Amino acid sequence: MAALLCVPFGSATRAQGIQRLAVPGVNNFWRVDATVSTGGTITSRDMALPVLKRRGIRTVINLAGGPDAEAERAAVEKAGMKYLLFAIDGATLDPAPVDPFLEAVRDRSIY
């Protein structure tokens, strides 16, 4: 499965600094600030997606791609969140997904 960047809604939470949080079904989950969280692989969609939704996550951004990306998209959208895929190949570091990714994160509607 893929690395993810999660974007919660609103900014009512005051800045508390970066915090590592335990989110079942997500490796290495961090709350960066009131609008951005990040995590590694979703290891269990059944466990992770309800927790992410309850945390106020509105958008899951997959930066790794992979064979499970479309199944992950279907599960994320079924859970009521947006899913964006910008597969970055670590071997080639192709810059093609970078501009679309930057455009997407500038779009305040995903937060």
Side-chain angles (χ1 to χ4, degrees):
M1 290 189 210
L4 75 127
L5 176 72
C6 303
V7 185
F9 69 91
S11 58
T13 308
R14 67 176 193 264
Q16 298 175 359
I18 298 172
Q19 298 174 310
R20 186 172 186 166
L21 303 172
V23 174
V26 179
N27 286 333
N28 204 21
F29 188 86
W30 293 80
R31 179 188 173 279
V32 177
D33 63 24
T35 59
V36 175
S37 296
T38 185
T41 304
I42 295 177
T43 58
S44 171
R45 292 182 199 116
D46 291 338
M47 291 186 340
L49 297 179
V51 173
L52 295 174
K53 181 76 172 175
R54 280 193 304 272
R55 291 193 56 77
I57 301 298
R58 292 182 57 189
T59 304
V60 173
I61 301 174
N62 178 335
L63 299 176
D68 288 338
E70 288 309 312
E72 188 170 82
R73 174 188 305 280
V76 167
E77 290 175 350
K78 183 177 180 183
M81 295 175 281
K82 293 180 186 178
Y83 184 85
L84 304 175
L85 175 61
F86 303 101
I88 297 173
D89 183 339
T92 65
L93 294 178
D94 179 6
V98 174
D99 286 336
F101 168 77
L102 293 173
E103 183 178 328
V105 297
R106 287 185 195 114
D107 177 1
R108 301 307 294 175
S109 72
I110 71 168
Y111 293 89

